[in-house]
Amino acid sequence: MELQSWLLYHLVAVTDCNQVMQSAATGGGGFSAGSSGSSRARDLGLRAQKKILGRVVSTGAGRSLLIDDATTSLLDNLYRLAERAAKNNPALDRKQPEKVLKNIVKLSIKIGLLQRNQQLGASDEPKIVEIRAALRAVAMAVVSFHELEFSFDNSYLTRSLERCRTAVQSLIKVHLTDKSQDRCDQVFDFLTHPEFLEAVFGQNSELRPTLELLVSDINKALDAGHL
């Protein structure tokens, strides 16, 4: 099952990693032949993928290699929204939007690596379903609050975002490190910040044109069944 959503919808470039694995399996990496060597080669390949991830995810060009155009546009508009909100509000840290973007990409690709390497089991399936449902609820709420004047409900959106946080944490805490869990918290700490939500959805918000771009991307994702 592909995790098709703005957080979990991506393809990982693994050509270099496969070359590393082939080298290890044929003795180029110093491993002996046999089942043990094959297993160790697989582990080496996964580590190589993570290393490549760390190098490319910090640049827009690198992200475009790993994430489809539609998701890239959605993430870019989310970043613009966060950046402009932080720039105009002293209660928000201006460094946080860039971290939000990087952490979303890192988490989504790491989960993708788990999936591609068949490290997600049957017990993870309900967690994936919950992530998709929680993301869809957030997406539909954002669209509704934008399109229906005076409909913004801070408490509802915060609860929906916290549901997302809980769902993602439930999946990654079994497979990823504490650092990845911290990245997840950083993302949702910012997105649920009352000052951020008020800056985006408050009456007469100056960010409405940017929000409209984000909503357009969300609607496309919903229509395509990615959310």
Side-chain angles (χ1 to χ4, degrees):
M1 174 182 177
E2 291 295 327
L3 311 185
Q4 297 173 332
S5 68
W6 64 268
L7 179 59
L8 306 174
Y9 179 54
H10 47 269
L11 294 173
V12 179
V14 295
T15 301
D16 291 343
C17 305
N18 289 337
Q19 291 174 351
V20 172
M21 293 174 70
Q22 290 171 3
S23 174
T26 57
F31 295 138
S32 60
S35 59
S36 177
S38 176
S39 176
R40 293 173 68 184
R42 180 185 179 87
D43 291 342
L44 177 62
L46 183 57
R47 291 199 299 271
Q49 288 178 355
K50 290 180 179 179
K51 187 174 182 180
I52 291 171
L53 163 66
R55 290 201 303 266
V56 304
V57 78
S58 61
T59 67
R63 287 193 291 270
S64 68
L65 294 174
L66 303 175
I67 302 177
D68 64 282
D69 290 343
T71 305
T72 297
S73 177
L74 193 154
L75 290 175
D76 282 345
N77 283 319
L78 175 63
Y79 167 71
R80 293 187 186 101
L81 198 65
E83 181 187 39
R84 290 167 186 172
K87 182 178 180 180
N88 297 326
N89 195 318
L92 299 173
D93 186 341
R94 294 189 179 188
K95 297 180 180 179
Q96 293 302 304
E98 180 70 19
K99 290 182 179 180
V100 167
L101 177 61
K102 288 182 178 180
N103 286 338
I104 288 174
V105 174
K106 286 180 179 180
L107 285 170
S108 63
I109 294 175
K110 285 187 175 183
I111 293 172
L113 289 177
L114 292 173
Q115 187 179 33
R116 291 175 71 93
N117 286 279
Q118 300 179 338
Q119 292 180 294
L120 298 180
S123 62
D124 294 311
E125 185 67 21
K127 300 174 185 177
I128 295 170
V129 172
E130 172 61 10
I131 289 172
R132 288 174 59 86
L135 286 170
R136 184 176 177 85
V138 169
M140 294 181 70
V142 170
V143 171
S144 176
F145 295 154
H146 172 70
E147 295 180 347
L148 299 177
E149 194 171 4
F150 307 116
S151 65
F152 173 55
D153 186 333
N154 192 313
S155 297
Y156 177 82
L157 185 53
T158 298
R159 287 196 306 271
S160 297
L161 286 165
E162 290 295 350
R163 177 188 173 189
C164 272
R165 184 207 301 258
T166 300
V168 174
Q169 287 283 22
S170 176
L171 178 67
I172 68 175
K173 70 181 181 181
V174 179
H175 301 283
L176 301 179
T177 65
D178 290 346
K179 189 171 183 179
S180 290
Q181 295 176 52
D182 290 341
R183 287 192 177 106
C184 178
D185 282 334
Q186 187 276 332
V187 169
F188 287 100
D189 285 348
F190 184 88
L191 296 180
T192 59
H193 196 295
E195 294 289 344
F196 171 67
L197 295 179
E198 182 61 30
V200 173
F201 295 101
Q203 289 184 334
N204 302 317
S205 170
E206 297 178 355
L207 303 180
R208 190 168 182 82
T210 309
L211 176 60
E212 186 169 352
L213 294 174
L214 177 63
V215 167
S216 176
D217 287 335
I218 291 174
N219 277 326
K220 291 176 183 176
L222 289 168
D223 291 342
H226 296 158
L227 279 174

